[in-house]
């Protein structure tokens, strides 16, 4: 038998089994009750991407199991609901998705709809790529949450075989989100939320100082000028985590930086290039005590809490982080990220991938279909400020709901400015390699030449 024939048969049996398992679970969970008709053969063929003969074979299997009967000129009618054993899905997650996804209410709602499926989560705080690949490879998890940066680590380190390829069609989902989770025309992750980097500011502080609020014309120079005017004895005009892998790369993206290899395959990082020009500018900002706290190097400092308490006037965050400001009573708003040369911003999407080895694939697919459903996407927007990937749901959001800042919907206008870290020609793990030498540079422990030398070694 030819390899192509084996692949074709494997695909056929996979789709047939999926159809039968899905219909069986839907009957068991009351999607189709006793007396209901199943969808037509034509509708099932379209839904499961199968031919009419294959669909009839699947229905015949349900007939053999006593769940449906065929009635001439009527269709397949449900006559008995099977009792399904409860299955447990184990999903490895970033610890942050508890807030980003509104994970707890999502799981509770899903399990109410699908009582035969229990969802167990394993939260991971650090070294996501290493932990996720280990758990996938060992088979201890059925699914995993990935942002596009960690997904790219899977791609460049040849670990995509751990993930099951997914159908290309994502009805209702923003189209630009498909590409960030695809390689070679195949998609491996289903996006759930996305979050661009923005400027968040205290409106009361601007009013009290007679300053105009930020807008889309703001450059980094405008931000610096206003930050100095906002700084007081008990508060600073600007504060963010300088080592955040979501912030300093945005400065490089706006400046048109692309890391290139030389003839020997080493990355060229010279003291006279755009990269160092950006880093010198960046160092000036975070080392300026007239606007930026001198204690920023203490990574334990909670700058979001400081912003809530009025000790910071402006900060740089993603939409998902805004969730922490809910219920604070703070009079704040948001604006597009200030720019240098080009008005671009870093955008992060988070989704779910399926373990190729999972024995609960149909249950995982049921959970993933739920996550992209309008019901789940509305639940995410109700309990968090992350942006739903379902366009219809995102269009429904009204910023006057008492939960969101008045300019929440600006994400719709700045979508053309969205970029990802891979546009710098570096993988996520290489960007993380920069953080160590960058910290030494920003704190004045090494100079330009030493930083370039350390980065050349780290990146190569």
């Amino acid at each position: 038998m030819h390899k192509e024939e084996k692949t074709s048969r494997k695909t056929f049996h996979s789709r047939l089994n999926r159809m039968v398992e899905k219909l069986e679970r839907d009957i068991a969970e009351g999607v189709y009750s006793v007396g209901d008709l199943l969808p037509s053969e034509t509708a099932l063929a379209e839904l499961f991407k199968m031919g009419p003969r294959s669909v009839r074979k699947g229905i015949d299997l349900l007939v053999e199991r006593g769940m449906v009967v065929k009635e001439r000129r009527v269709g397949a009618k449900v006559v008995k609901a099977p009792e399904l054993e409860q299955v447990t899905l184990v999903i490895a997650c970033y610890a942050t998705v508890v807030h980003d996804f509104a994970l707890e209410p999502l799981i509770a709602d899903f399990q109410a709809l699908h009582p035969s499926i229990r969802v167990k989560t394993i939260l991971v705080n650090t070294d996501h790529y290493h932990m996720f690949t280990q758990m996938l490879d060992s088979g201890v998890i059925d699914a995993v949450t990935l942002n596009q940066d960690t997904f790219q680590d899977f791609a460049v380190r040849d670990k995509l075989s751990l993930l099951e390829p997914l159908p290309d069609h994502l009805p209702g989902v923003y189209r630009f989100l498909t590409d960030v989770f695809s390689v070679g025309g195949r998609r491996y992750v289903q996006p759930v939320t996305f979050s661009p980097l923005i400027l968040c500011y205290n409106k009361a502080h601007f009013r009290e100082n007679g300053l105009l609020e930020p807008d889309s014309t703001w450059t980094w120079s405008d931000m610096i000028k206003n930050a100095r005017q906002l700084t007081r004895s008990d508060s600073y005009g600007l504060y963010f985590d300088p080592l955040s892998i979501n912030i300093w790369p945005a400065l490089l993206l706006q400046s048109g930086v692309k890391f290139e290899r030389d003839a020997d395959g080493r990355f060229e990082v010279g003291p006279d290039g755009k990269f160092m020009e950006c880093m010198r500018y960046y160092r000036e900002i975070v080392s300026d005590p007239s606007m930026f706290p001198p204690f920023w190097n203490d990574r334990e400092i909670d700058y979001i809490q400081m912003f809530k308490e009025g000790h910071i006037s402006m900060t740089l965050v993603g939409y998902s982080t805004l969730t922490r400001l809910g219920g604070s009573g703070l009079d704040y708003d948001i604006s597009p990220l200030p720019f240098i040369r080009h008005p671009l911003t870093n955008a992060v999407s988070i989704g779910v991938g399926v373990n190729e080895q999972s024995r609960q694939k149909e249950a995982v697919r049921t959970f993933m279909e739920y996550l992209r459903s309008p019901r789940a996407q509305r639940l995410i927007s109700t309990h968090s400020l992350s942006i739903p990937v379902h366009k219809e749901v995102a269009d429904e959001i009204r910023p006057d709901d008492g939960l969101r800042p008045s300019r929440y919907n600006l994400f719709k206008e700045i979508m053309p400015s969205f970029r990802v870290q891979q546009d710098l020609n570096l993988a996520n793990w290489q960007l993380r390699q920069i953080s160590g030498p960058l910290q030494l540079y920003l704190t004045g422990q090494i100079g330009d030449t030493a930083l370039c030398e350390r980065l050349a070694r780290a990146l190569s």
Side-chain angles (χ1 to χ4, degrees), residues 4 128 157 203 205 211 214 229 266 300 335 431 455:
E4 291 79 4
H128 302 126
R157 296 186 177 189
K203 295 177 68 174
H205 287 187
L211 299 174
Q229 292 179 272
R266 295 173 61 84
E300 298 302 317
S335 179
L431 287 169
L455 292 186

Side-chain angles (χ1 to χ4, degrees), residues 295-354:
F295 50 79
W296 70 261
N297 197 33
D298 183 354
R299 302 304 297 279
E300 298 302 317
I301 298 295
D302 187 343
Y303 68 96
I304 299 301
Q305 185 62 33
M306 291 182 65
F307 181 77
K308 288 170 67 173
E309 294 172 354
H311 298 303
I312 303 170
S313 298
M314 293 184 288
T315 187
L316 304 180
V317 295
Y319 265 69
S320 58
T321 305
L322 297 178
T323 303
R324 290 189 55 191
L325 300 177
S328 65
L330 183 69
D331 186 13
Y332 80 98
D333 218 326
I334 60 175
S335 179
L337 185 69
F339 64 93
I340 294 183
R341 291 184 175 86
H342 309 289
L344 305 175
T345 189
N346 190 22
V348 176
S349 177
I350 301 178
V352 178
V354 182

